[in-house]
Amino acid sequence: MKDTAVQLDPVSLEVIRNALTAVAEEMSSVVMRAARSPLLREAGDHSSALTDAEGYLVAQGRDVPVHLGVLSFTVREFLNKVGRDALRPGDVWILNLPDVGGNHLPDVKLIRPIFHEGDLYAFSISLAHWADVGGAMPGSYYAAAFDCWQEGLRIPPVRLVAGDEIDEEKMGLILANVRGPAERRGDILAQISATTVAGRRLEELRLQYGVAFLKAAFEAIHDRAERQMREAIATIPDGVYEGEDFMDDDGHGGAPVAIRVKVTISGETASFDFTGTDNAVPGALNTTPFIAAAGVFYVMKALYGPDIQPSAGCYRPLSVVTRPGSILDPRSNVPVVGGNHETCQRVADAIFRALVPVAAEKLSAGGPTTAGLLIFSARNDEGDYSTFYEVHGGGEGARIDRDGMAVTRVHLANVMSTPVEVIETEYPLMVERQALRHGSGGKGAHVGGDGLHRVYRMLADNISLTTMFERAVVPAYGLEGGENGAPFEVHLQTKEGTQTKLPGKHNVTINRDDRVTVMSCGGGGYGLATD
């Protein structure tokens, strides 16, 4: 078909829409098959997306919602920094700066511009959470951080691949500044491969339909998704709805920190005003306005548009306002590593709580809206680091019609547990216990799900342990009269028998035969208990 013969009927549009989604899904499969680190190939802490030539999202994989919301902005901000004239066929650019449409430093993005005869018509993006990007502590989470440079290597947009050839000088510079360089190189190659596969698949679509058809399809996807989201918003009663939820602390053990939102529904549009949110904090729980928007996008899509194609058009009727100087919009030099998966969850919870008056039947009670993160890092006899990054699910909040599920992940998280066999094969750890934390779900007409009870025993000395979790002070909330779930707890028992309850944001060195016990939070109950 010639490029000038653009005929967009509903069937062809649906074929293209599903084909683009399949490309993004294949990208994620490539990363999981090819990556070196268990964090990517087992836990799946990565995401993939396609955009049009202007950087507007057209398709994404079934990956991590907070990543995908951020990828709605990444290419547009990248283009603002680099400019279209700098791009060439065969390029792959790498970056992780939070202020370039980003989140935290470990989430490294690789971007490939896709051309036909010099015409840039799309981008493929692979985001992967690296197990280490340098910084003060192994795993790149430093609880005592007071600036961004302590959190790791900061990569502005850099052309890592030119003409489909890796620039080994730039690769060497990156690998010299991270722990586990061989593993990181393998992960980079997996991401490059994912963007390459996307380019091939889009070329196949171009050969079948033509560039003009694809460009028209991108626009039609945007327009249809916008129309569908507007129709969905129109079903919500007009009004102003306010909600808040709280971080456990400021990242350095201070008082709880409020995330506040004012949701205004007006006809076919919805605005989300976070200006009442508390100020930026000294710890690593600050985040970017892109993360706040990702939380908004997730909530509205989950509640009102689960079948709408995730695209720039889907989000056009939504506006997001943050306040400079707040925890959601701080200066660019503050630590942010925990904000990516802790503060973002509180954004979503604040919105859900605001919408209770008009959507209670659609909502779950509070759940494990924390990564429940532990990082164990050890050095082998050659001095090389191996870093085990594990997120721990908890009890889902109950709903109007059922109990919550046990040991799951909700909302903006969507990763898997690393199999025990992999943990014990690749790291100096033994998992001595893995069970449900019975009775941890909140009571109600429907009961919150139970959390996890897992015990790790150390098989080496001088292991670095990092914690980064919430819901230890402010538990998962009950809804419509249901009770709160049990809070998150992590305990350290040394081989001498001393027991310590660890803070939610902490770094400590532990040794052989010490035990770390994780008891993740239970979900909130829904409705008043009848007994």
Side-chain angles (χ1 to χ4, degrees):
M1 180 183 292
K2 295 182 179 180
D3 287 354
T4 55
V6 178
Q7 297 178 357
L8 271 177
D9 60 274
V11 173
S12 296
L13 179 60
E14 193 66 7
V15 169
I16 291 294
R17 184 184 72 82
N18 281 278
L20 295 172
T21 300
V23 172
E25 283 286 290
E26 186 176 3
M27 289 176 66
S28 294
S29 295
V30 168
V31 172
M32 290 198 76
R33 289 197 302 268
R36 287 284 299 275
S37 65
L39 179 59
L40 302 182
R41 59 182 166 84
E42 301 289 347
D45 197 348
H46 57 84
S47 296
S48 307
L50 301 174
T51 79
D52 61 22
E54 304 303 319
Y56 289 100
L57 181 72
V58 293
Q60 65 185 41
R62 288 175 291 184
D63 298 313
V64 182
V66 69
H67 292 169
L68 297 165
V70 167
L71 291 180
S72 302
F73 302 96
T74 300
V75 176
R76 281 183 282 159
E77 296 297 322
F78 163 77
L79 287 171
N80 287 339
K81 291 285 186 182
V82 172
R84 296 166 64 93
D85 292 343
L87 308 181
R88 301 288 184 272
D91 279 358
V92 179
W93 293 70
I94 187 170
L95 64 100
N96 73 347
L97 283 184
D99 55 347
V100 185
N103 31 10
H104 64 180
L105 298 181
D107 282 347
V108 181
K109 296 95 177 166
L110 269 67
I111 299 174
R112 178 183 290 272
I114 299 172
F115 293 82
H116 172 62
E117 296 181 349
D119 181 15
L120 172 64
Y121 69 94
F123 290 88
S124 61
I125 323 161
S126 172
L127 181 158
H129 184 120
W130 291 6
D132 188 277
V133 289
M137 295 297 297
S140 307
Y141 279 67
Y142 182 36
F146 54 82
D147 66 33
C148 61
W149 294 280
Q150 295 171 299
E151 295 191 321
L153 177 65
R154 294 167 60 80
I155 310 171
V158 171
R159 193 190 331 254
L160 183 62
V161 177
D164 287 317
E165 294 290 332
I166 295 173
D167 186 327
E168 291 294 348
E169 289 184 350
K170 293 173 184 173
M171 177 75 85
L173 178 64
I174 292 169
L175 297 182
N177 285 280
V178 299
R179 301 173 184 89
E183 189 175 82
R184 297 293 77 69
R185 182 182 178 90
D187 293 345
I188 292 172
L189 295 179
Q191 290 184 262
I192 292 173
S193 296
T195 67
T196 302
V197 166
R200 290 174 184 164
R201 296 294 178 257
L202 286 174
E203 174 64 7
E204 292 168 3
L205 290 173
R206 184 201 66 77
L207 289 172
Q208 184 174 0
Y209 295 99
V211 168
F213 186 97
L214 290 179
K215 290 181 177 180
F218 295 164
E219 287 303 313
I221 287 170
H222 294 324
D223 291 343
R224 183 171 71 173
E226 177 182 6
R227 182 173 63 254
Q228 291 171 325
M229 180 55 78
R230 288 184 179 277
E231 291 171 353
I233 294 171
T235 67
I236 309 171
D238 283 0
V240 178
Y241 307 95
E242 298 187 36
E244 66 179 8
D245 203 356
F246 291 85
M247 312 297 297
D248 282 346
D249 54 44
D250 62 1
H252 285 175
V257 178
I259 307 295
R260 299 187 180 95
V261 65
K262 182 183 294 184
V263 181
T264 301
I265 306 296
S266 179
E268 297 180 343
T269 63
S271 67
F272 300 79
D273 184 344
F274 292 94
T275 56
T277 290
D278 283 351
N279 289 336
V281 298
L285 296 173
N286 301 291
T287 193
T288 69
F290 309 116
I291 290 288
V296 169
F297 296 166
Y298 163 74
V299 169
M300 293 303 289
K301 181 131 182 5
L303 285 183
Y304 297 106
D307 298 322
I308 301 174
Q309 175 75 358
S311 70
C314 180
Y315 307 135
R316 286 173 184 166
L318 311 176
S319 62
V320 181
V321 179
T322 57
R323 176 175 58 84
S326 72
I327 192 173
L328 302 180
D329 195 354
R331 300 186 311 274
S332 62
N333 60 1
V334 301
V336 298
V337 70
N340 194 58
H341 46 71
E342 303 304 310
T343 312
C344 76
Q345 298 274 29
R346 223 50 66 237
V347 167
D349 277 331
I351 301 170
F352 284 130
R353 300 188 82 160
L355 295 176
V356 167
V358 291
E361 74 286 352
K362 294 176 176 283
L363 299 175
S364 299
T369 47
T370 173
L373 174 62
L374 271 66
I375 303 174
F376 299 90
S377 190
R379 303 182 77 167
N380 61 23
D381 293 340
E382 288 74 39
D384 294 329
Y385 281 93
S386 63
T387 300
F388 172 50
Y389 177 110
E390 180 75 318
V391 297
H392 298 84
E396 180 197 28
R399 297 178 64 88
I400 193 171
D401 57 351
R402 64 170 175 81
D403 295 344
M405 292 186 291
V407 191
T408 188
R409 296 171 179 88
V410 301
H411 303 333
L412 288 143
N414 186 30
V415 296
M416 296 171 283
S417 299
T418 305
V420 169
E421 294 83 356
V422 173
I423 297 171
E424 296 184 343
T425 299
E426 301 213 12
Y427 305 102
L429 303 171
M430 178 178 288
V431 178
E432 291 195 329
R433 179 182 176 88
Q434 180 157 297
L436 296 180
R437 186 186 179 189
H438 292 291
S440 56
K443 295 179 181 179
H446 289 284
V447 179
D450 283 328
L452 171 71
H453 185 177
R454 180 184 269 187
V455 179
Y456 299 95
R457 180 162 66 89
M458 305 304 107
L459 302 181
D461 289 324
N462 298 313
I463 294 177
S464 167
L465 169 64
T466 298
T467 65
M468 183 65 69
F469 59 87
E470 285 278 314
R471 292 303 190 207
V473 175
V474 181
Y477 56 87
L479 202 61
E480 301 291 273
E483 295 183 6
N484 296 339
F488 208 112
E489 296 182 21
V490 175
H491 297 265
L492 170 63
Q493 179 180 332
T494 67
K495 60 184 176 183
E496 294 80 17
T498 302
Q499 294 205 37
T500 306
K501 185 176 180 179
L502 296 180
K505 297 88 187 171
H506 191 59
N507 301 98
V508 64
T509 299
I510 54 181
N511 295 297
R512 186 183 300 272
D513 290 326
D514 290 349
R515 288 173 171 80
V516 176
T517 299
V518 178
M519 291 185 286
S520 66
C521 54
Y526 192 109
L528 291 170
T530 56
D531 52 28

